[in-house]
Amino acid sequence: MANTQPLPVGAEAPDFELPNQDRKTVKLSDFRGKQAVVIAFHPLVFTPVCSVQMQTYEQHRPEFDAAGAHILSISCDAGPSKKAWAESLGGISFDLLADFHPKGQVAAAYGVLRDDGIPERAIFVVDKAGTIAWAAKYDIPEQPPLADLLTAVTGVTD
């Protein structure tokens, strides 16, 4: 397994363009100057921990919205898989992005691509200026604590 080193707080967030579950292109820099962004890298769709993580974000979407933060979820799964997964979860209203081609390019830019070709479970909060304001990496089977993320988002958007 790779000894991945996520980008540190204070680093400029690398820009990217990726397709979401509806085949619409999402570009990180489009949020610059407008709102903070939560970038949630997760290993694989259709897995229990990832599914609960995304459903939790969906359930708490009003809190993210109230804090002025947009959620971008990223894995190396293909776009059609992301769409099927979103539907299987009862619908996800935020962007599920496919870092599929070239596989893992965005995860690698953020320092979270493992040797086995999947991203670590890692979360970055990017402020309106495009700087990483908060970052955390978790063990693959670990559910990231929602309270920590909401506190980080609120601190960045205040």
Side-chain angles (χ1 to χ4, degrees):
M1 185 186 326
N3 180 14
T4 56
Q5 281 297 339
L7 290 175
V9 169
E12 184 174 341
D15 196 17
F16 57 81
E17 284 186 45
L18 293 173
N20 71 7
Q21 68 269 32
D22 297 317
R23 296 185 180 193
K24 294 180 182 166
T25 299
V26 175
K27 187 173 183 180
L28 179 63
S29 58
D30 286 345
F31 297 95
R32 189 165 285 165
K34 298 174 187 166
Q35 67 185 129
V37 178
V38 172
I39 302 173
F41 287 95
H42 64 92
L44 296 165
V45 299
F46 293 105
T47 57
V49 177
C50 296
S51 295
V52 169
Q53 182 181 2
M54 296 309 123
Q55 288 173 316
T56 299
Y57 295 167
E58 183 65 29
Q59 290 166 358
H60 292 271
R61 175 89 190 267
E63 293 166 69
F64 288 101
D65 290 346
H70 187 78
I71 302 166
L72 301 176
S73 168
I74 302 176
S75 73
C76 294
D77 298 287
S81 297
K82 292 284 204 168
K83 183 159 184 67
W85 187 47
E87 291 169 358
S88 80
L89 296 175
I92 297 293
S93 61
F94 55 87
D95 294 301
L96 301 177
L97 303 179
D99 189 11
F100 186 70
H101 183 75
K103 187 170 179 147
Q105 182 175 350
V106 175
Y110 279 78
V112 297
L113 185 65
R114 296 164 31 121
D115 285 342
D116 59 5
I118 63 172
E120 296 283 356
R121 187 174 312 283
I123 303 172
F124 297 88
V125 176
V126 179
D127 65 19
K128 289 180 186 180
T131 302
I132 296 172
W134 185 84
K137 183 175 107 174
Y138 303 90
D139 290 336
I140 295 289
E142 183 182 358
Q143 190 62 247
L146 178 67
D148 293 351
L149 177 57
L150 287 173
T151 298
V153 166
T154 302
V156 166
T157 59
D158 280 346

